[in-house]
Amino acid sequence: MKPMTQVPERRSVQSRNGAATSAPSPAHARARRRPTSQQWAAWAFLAPVTLYLALFYAYPLYRNLDLSLRNYTVRSFVQGDAPFTGLANYRKIFDDPTFAPALLHTAVFTAVCLVFQYAIGLALAVFFNQNFRLSATLRALFLVPWLLPLIVSASTWSWMLNSDSGIVNTLLSAFGVGPVNWLTSPSWSLTSVIIANIWIGVPFNLVVLYSGLQSIPTSLYEAAALDGANAWRRFWSITFPLLRPVSAITLLLGLVYTLKVFDIIWIMTKGGPADSSTTFATWSYQLGFGNLLPAFGPGAAVGNLLVVAALVFGLIYLKVQRKQALS
């Protein structure tokens, strides 16, 4: 005998044309609406991630937005009774004479670092993609700047660029070039922190772009070589186009990282001299923590400008990726 299975109770309902149809009973419909064990398991796996994002991303962003919309002092920051001021803190930073130089320095610092980090990283990735004998060893050595703590890297560059005893000026003097005030001259301070940040960011571009090169089939290069294409032609016709998705995410991550660079600039120049290397990241810190009477609201407002800039570029990246997927 075949085992009998329980058939859910169904009731007869009349459709619009008069025909009788059967439908599940209300009890069976309620049972189907209850979460299954798989759904509970899915929510259990999502819970830690959701909690982490809420605690360490959503709540800090909310607090930063709240700080920028209120007139916080040290007393009100502790007691939590700061009056609501709306966009007054944003108007205050827009009217501040430091805003225009900080905006320019942030744009120059970010653009120059991105261009050189990507170009040098791509050149090194193509070089190491040839898989010669010492390729793995040299790649590991190039990762050292990325693995070092930022405070160590910034302190090392501060010593190297010291006007009196730095090794850079010592090398320049060997070629007859006079000493350069890398960290104390308004003309050179921004250049100094850009050089240091490029050195720190090149390994990241190298690793990501090298991984992208490994996914390109070698058969394409072999076919191009048979057609008579030289190395430069193979790069522009095969390597660069096929690296476009990897390049886009590399530049986006580099942009978000470079916008918020604070450690290197603060350790090397503290945004000076005369605000010549001040960016939004260092200015936000100076407003919030660099004075005896901290301006928490304006400092949070400057930080929110960086968040909005990163968000805008992230949305542009998603839109471009969606267009490429549809085309």
Side-chain angles (χ1 to χ4, degrees):
M1 294 179 59
K2 294 183 180 180
M4 296 181 63
T5 57
Q6 185 177 358
V7 179
E9 180 185 356
R10 305 183 73 86
R11 56 190 179 89
S12 177
V13 296
Q14 189 173 9
S15 61
R16 293 181 179 179
N17 56 9
T21 58
S22 61
S25 64
H28 182 65
R30 287 194 298 270
R32 290 199 308 174
R33 285 196 297 267
R34 296 195 189 102
T36 63
S37 59
Q38 293 181 346
Q39 291 174 330
W40 281 116
W43 281 110
F45 279 109
L46 285 175
V49 179
T50 305
L51 183 63
Y52 174 82
L53 293 176
L55 289 178
F56 297 101
Y57 286 89
Y59 181 72
L61 286 175
Y62 162 74
R63 288 293 298 157
N64 203 58
L65 181 62
D66 181 69
L67 278 173
S68 68
L69 298 177
R70 296 180 180 274
N71 184 21
Y72 273 96
T73 61
V74 176
R75 184 187 62 82
S76 61
F77 187 82
V78 175
Q79 297 180 355
D81 56 349
F84 182 80
T85 58
L87 300 178
N89 289 322
Y90 291 91
R91 290 193 294 268
K92 184 176 180 180
I93 63 172
F94 289 147
D95 296 335
D96 195 300
T98 309
F99 177 80
L103 176 62
L104 177 62
H105 298 158
T106 303
V108 172
F109 180 82
T110 304
V112 175
C113 287
L114 280 182
V115 170
F116 279 92
Q117 286 174 354
Y118 177 79
I120 298 173
L122 179 59
L124 291 173
V126 173
F127 174 72
F128 287 123
N129 195 42
Q130 300 175 15
N131 293 325
F132 51 91
R133 180 174 296 179
L134 296 177
S135 175
T137 303
L138 292 177
R139 284 203 316 272
L141 292 176
F142 269 100
L143 291 179
V144 171
W146 194 25
L147 299 177
L148 287 175
L150 289 178
I151 188 172
V152 175
S153 300
S155 300
T156 302
W157 275 101
S158 296
W159 168 76
M160 292 173 59
L161 297 176
N162 186 275
S163 302
D164 300 324
S165 58
I167 189 174
V168 174
N169 277 347
T170 302
L171 292 175
L172 291 177
S173 63
F175 293 95
V177 180
V180 178
N181 298 322
W182 295 99
L183 304 177
T184 58
S185 171
S187 303
W188 288 101
S189 59
L190 185 61
T191 303
S192 302
V193 294
I194 287 175
I195 292 173
N197 192 64
I198 290 173
W199 180 79
I200 293 172
V202 163
F204 170 77
N205 289 261
L206 167 62
V207 170
V208 178
L209 294 173
Y210 179 80
S211 301
L213 288 175
Q214 295 295 300
S215 63
I216 300 178
T218 57
S219 58
L220 297 177
Y221 295 104
E222 295 172 356
L226 291 176
D227 292 337
N230 56 23
W232 188 252
R233 184 63 180 173
R234 291 196 297 270
F235 173 80
W236 282 111
S237 300
I238 299 176
T239 304
F240 195 72
L242 294 181
L243 270 183
R244 194 168 298 163
V246 179
S247 299
I249 191 63
T250 303
L251 291 173
L252 176 64
L253 294 176
L255 172 70
V256 173
Y257 168 79
T258 309
L259 279 174
K260 65 182 184 64
V261 167
F262 165 78
D263 316 66
I264 301 167
I265 301 175
W266 189 256
I267 293 172
M268 293 181 64
T269 65
K270 288 184 170 57
D275 293 333
S276 58
S277 58
T278 296
T279 61
F280 276 172
T282 59
W283 188 30
S284 176
Y285 178 83
Q286 287 175 339
L287 290 172
F289 304 99
N291 301 310
L292 293 177
L293 296 176
F296 294 116
V302 176
N304 285 333
L305 294 181
L306 290 176
V307 174
V308 171
L311 180 62
V312 167
F313 283 105
L315 293 177
I316 293 175
Y317 167 77
L318 293 177
K319 186 175 181 180
V320 171
Q321 289 294 101
R322 189 176 295 110
K323 285 185 177 180
Q324 291 180 352
L326 295 176
S327 60

